[in-house]
Amino acid sequence: MRQLFIIDPVGSINPSKDSSAALMQAAERASIEVWICTPSDLQARGNRACVIAKPVIADPWITIKEAQSKYLSDFTCIWMRKDPPVDEAYLYATHLLEVAERDGVLVLNKPASLRAWNEKLGAIRFSQLMAPTLVASRVEELKSFASEFGEVVIKPLGGKGGQGVIRIGKEANSLEALLELVTEQERLPVMMQVFLASVEQGDKRILLINGDPLGAVNRRPKKGDFRSNLALGGIPEATEINQREKEICEELAPLLKSEGLFFVGIDVIGGMLSEINVTSPTGIREVERLMKIPLADQVIARLVESLN
């Protein structure tokens, strides 16, 4: 078996923290050939999708061998693990990956779903599981929502890792000017949600494989911040998946499976769904370290089972 991982430049990857590195090493332990490329290495020749890819030895990190030209159909499975932003280059890569899908290659996650599931907007399909939420670009609508609920957070729809998320208090000054700024003068919509004070106890990242929750890590905000993202200094803690969170996963599972979202990370704050992360979910290393669960090996085992 041969698997291709489409990732950011390998020099930017910290193997002690990176979920892609964890998956690559687990694949190698399962006697699977591991190859890497970046989105810019994807090509199409006629009606065949191709790639300039490099075989690697992932453990210990990392031995990279000479690049070779391959058809994407030479791979049993392709992992699309490029981090956001979901820009033009990312979207075109998903189109090229769909050519491989037509040749029978399994692409994770499904390219069409990567385009359709904005990681903020995707969650509102399950708005009944979320805190009150508004997506809008009109300043007056956003002001009215903030006035109604008192304390809110604003999230840019294209953001990642908590970047650009703003907390607005009940006595916020210059709110209109701020909303003009974040919407680029009402040109771009943003997400506004009721602030959940329970985030002080943590924002739980739950990792789902084909709809099944396999592990979780609690992320507590660092002192002086409300954002719990690990990339912004959030503190990871051991945790368990409680009954409410299992119910959330059960409600999400049928749609995730039907849309080819094999590896997903959801964020839950105080029993409420916050986001559904589908591009390159993180958290494997933290779950493995804190919960003593061989999560990456379990993911690869589930994948191999699904292919047989």
Side-chain angles (χ1 to χ4, degrees):
M1 186 181 293
R2 179 183 292 158
Q3 294 187 9
L4 175 66
F5 288 79
I6 303 173
I7 56 175
D8 289 291
V10 71
S12 68
I13 290 178
N14 180 347
S16 67
K17 295 183 178 181
D18 192 89
S19 291
S20 294
L23 291 167
M24 291 161 64
Q25 291 175 339
E28 190 171 283
R29 287 192 292 271
S31 300
I32 296 169
E33 285 186 37
V34 175
W35 294 60
I36 62 170
C37 73
T38 65
S40 60
D41 294 315
L42 298 173
Q43 307 174 4
R45 299 177 188 173
N47 66 351
R48 301 288 302 277
C50 313
V51 65
I52 306 299
K54 299 172 183 177
V56 301
I57 298 173
D59 196 8
W61 191 260
I62 184 174
T63 301
I64 303 174
K65 301 179 183 179
E66 186 175 352
Q68 300 179 38
S69 178
K70 292 283 186 184
Y71 289 114
L72 290 185
S73 58
D74 291 334
F75 297 93
T76 311
C77 172
I78 300 172
W79 290 87
M80 180 49 161
R81 292 283 305 171
K82 170 71 176 69
D83 284 341
V86 179
D87 54 14
E88 280 189 284
Y90 188 102
L91 294 174
Y92 293 147
T94 66
H95 288 295
L96 288 168
L97 289 171
E98 283 184 314
V99 179
E101 276 193 321
R102 291 196 292 270
D103 286 335
V105 180
L106 177 64
V107 182
L108 305 173
N109 287 319
K110 187 174 179 65
S113 294
L114 289 175
R115 292 195 299 271
W117 281 71
N118 174 277
E119 296 185 334
K120 306 296 189 297
L121 290 175
I124 65 173
R125 301 191 193 197
F126 302 94
S127 60
Q128 73 278 11
L129 304 176
M130 301 173 69
T133 299
L134 172 69
V135 177
S137 54
R138 297 298 184 196
V139 167
E140 285 302 318
E141 294 294 325
L142 293 163
K143 282 176 59 181
S144 176
F145 184 91
S147 175
E148 178 183 357
F149 291 102
E151 193 162 10
V152 298
V153 294
I154 301 172
K155 300 178 180 180
L157 296 182
K160 65 169 186 175
Q163 295 173 357
V165 178
I166 302 168
R167 177 179 173 183
I168 305 297
K170 296 177 181 178
E171 306 298 329
N173 295 318
S174 304
L175 177 58
E176 185 168 336
L178 175 62
L179 293 173
E180 291 170 352
L181 178 66
V182 298
T183 62
E184 296 187 10
Q185 300 296 322
E186 299 190 331
R187 190 178 70 87
L188 291 179
V190 296
M191 175 176 281
M192 182 177 281
Q193 289 181 310
V194 171
F195 174 70
L196 299 173
S198 55
V199 74
E200 295 179 3
Q201 280 71 55
D203 174 351
K204 194 173 293 188
R205 165 59 58 87
I206 303 172
L207 295 171
L208 294 88
I209 306 304
N210 208 24
D212 294 332
L214 292 192
V217 60
N218 193 49
R219 303 169 299 175
R220 191 180 292 269
K222 68 180 180 181
K223 186 176 181 180
D225 202 344
F226 71 96
R227 298 170 299 175
S228 57
N229 307 78
L230 299 179
L232 297 177
I235 302 164
E237 300 176 336
T239 191
E240 300 289 344
I241 302 173
N242 63 36
Q243 184 58 38
R244 167 61 177 165
E245 292 154 354
K246 290 177 182 177
E247 291 169 358
I248 291 173
C249 293
E250 288 172 2
E251 192 156 348
L252 298 181
L255 188 57
L256 297 180
K257 289 192 284 188
S258 70
E259 299 211 2
L261 294 169
F262 178 80
F263 184 38
V264 169
I266 68 169
D267 298 336
V268 179
I269 301 171
M272 290 189 172
L273 179 66
S274 174
E275 293 183 15
I276 301 175
N277 299 274
V278 302
T279 50
S280 55
T282 61
I284 288 179
R285 292 297 198 197
E286 289 75 20
V287 172
E288 290 182 331
R289 184 176 71 253
L290 293 168
M291 302 303 296
K292 311 304 180 186
I293 297 173
L295 186 59
D297 294 285
Q298 292 179 3
V299 173
I300 296 299
R302 287 285 191 99
L303 173 59
V304 170
E305 181 183 348
S306 71
L307 289 168
N308 292 332

